[in-house]
């Protein structure tokens, strides 16, 4: 039997969706507004996208954002995959505690994580300065901060992907003469690969959109696209900033849809 949803519940759901997505739709629409300032529609134009990429600060922030996102995604995918495989394959004594530590960076508020990393970097800076070394917040501090919270997403995604499989597959491969490396390469890795790719896409999206942690861990003269948007919005919202935000939304949506597609169960899997 098909149970029909109560009209009041459907209306409430549509109100929630409208509250969540209407601001994004308005932002995208006004990125094509011909008016320089204000919320008055003055006609359709795409010139702000050209103006956007003509700005040197936007190009520099774009390079920083992509560098941080790509490198941190590569590092966190490798480390997170190893952690996820370890949690799935081995019966560890403190497995519950380790899982809790992995979940912690996900549930802790971003502002708490940003402040804690800022204090950690300040402590490291003091120690290095006593030893005669210089240390400033910038590319490497932001990169390390992003890897810190990306690992959890990748590890949990990989472990979830393999949760439905037991060690019997690997044991059967070993019984048929496969070595440990061959059983991993031909059995375990292909099964885990959708989770690895989905975790990598999630990590890339999180790095691309991150503002709070980046704001606390980046120094003066180093800016990513979210930080640049915040800096410009303080002086007023303009169509070129709307265009930049719309592009970030587009990349995020594409990455999330791709990650969900990779995690979707397939026939015979």
């Amino acid at each position: 039997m098909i149970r029909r949803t109560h009209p009041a519940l459907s209306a409430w759901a549509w109100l929630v969706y409208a509250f969540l997505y209407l601001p994004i739709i308005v932002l995208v629409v006004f990125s094509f507004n011909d008016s320089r300032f204000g919320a008055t529609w003055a006609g359709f134009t795409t010139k702000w996208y050209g103006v956007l990429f003509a700005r040197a600060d936007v190009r520099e922030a774009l390079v920083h954002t992509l560098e941080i996102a790509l490198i941190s995604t590569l590092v966190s995918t490798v480390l997170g995959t190893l952690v996820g495989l370890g949690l799935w394959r081995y019966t560890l004594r403190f497995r519950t505690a380790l899982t809790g530590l992995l979940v912690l960076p996900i549930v802790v508020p971003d502002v708490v994580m940003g402040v804690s990393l800022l204090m950690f970097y300040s402590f490291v800076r003091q120690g290095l300065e006593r030893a005669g070394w210089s240390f400033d917040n910038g590319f490497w501090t932001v990169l390390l901060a992003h890897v810190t919270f990306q690992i959890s997403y990748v590890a949990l995604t990989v472990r979830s992907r393999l949760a439905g499989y037991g060690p019997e597959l690997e044991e059967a491969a070993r019984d048929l003469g496969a070595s440990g490396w061959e059983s991993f390469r031909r059995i375990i890795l292909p099964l885990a690969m959708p989770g690895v790719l989905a975790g990598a896409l999630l990590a890339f999206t999180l790095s691309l959109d991150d503002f709070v942690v980046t704001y606390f861990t980046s120094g003066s003269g180093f800016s990513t696209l979210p930080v640049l948007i915040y800096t410009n919005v303080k002086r007023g919202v303009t169509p070129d900033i709307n265009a930049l935000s719309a592009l970030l939304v587009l990349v995020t949506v594409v990455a999330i849809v791709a990650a969900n597609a990779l995690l979707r169960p397939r026939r015979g899997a």
Side-chain angles (χ1 to χ4, degrees), residues 59-83:
R59 293 197 302 269
E60 183 180 8
L62 176 62
V63 171
H64 291 163
T65 302
L66 293 178
E67 288 177 343
I68 292 292
L70 292 173
I71 298 176
S72 64
T73 297
L74 178 62
V75 175
S76 62
T77 299
V78 174
L79 297 179
T81 300
L82 294 176
V83 174

Side-chain angles (χ1 to χ4, degrees), residues 6 18 22 25 46 57 66 92 100 108 115 127 144 152 155 165 167-168 180 187 194 196 198 203 213 217-218 221:
H6 195 277
L22 271 180
I25 295 174
T46 58
D57 57 340
L66 293 178
L92 303 175
V108 167
V115 172
L144 180 61
S152 298
Y165 302 98
E168 296 83 6
I187 305 297
V196 173
V213 175
T217 56
S218 61

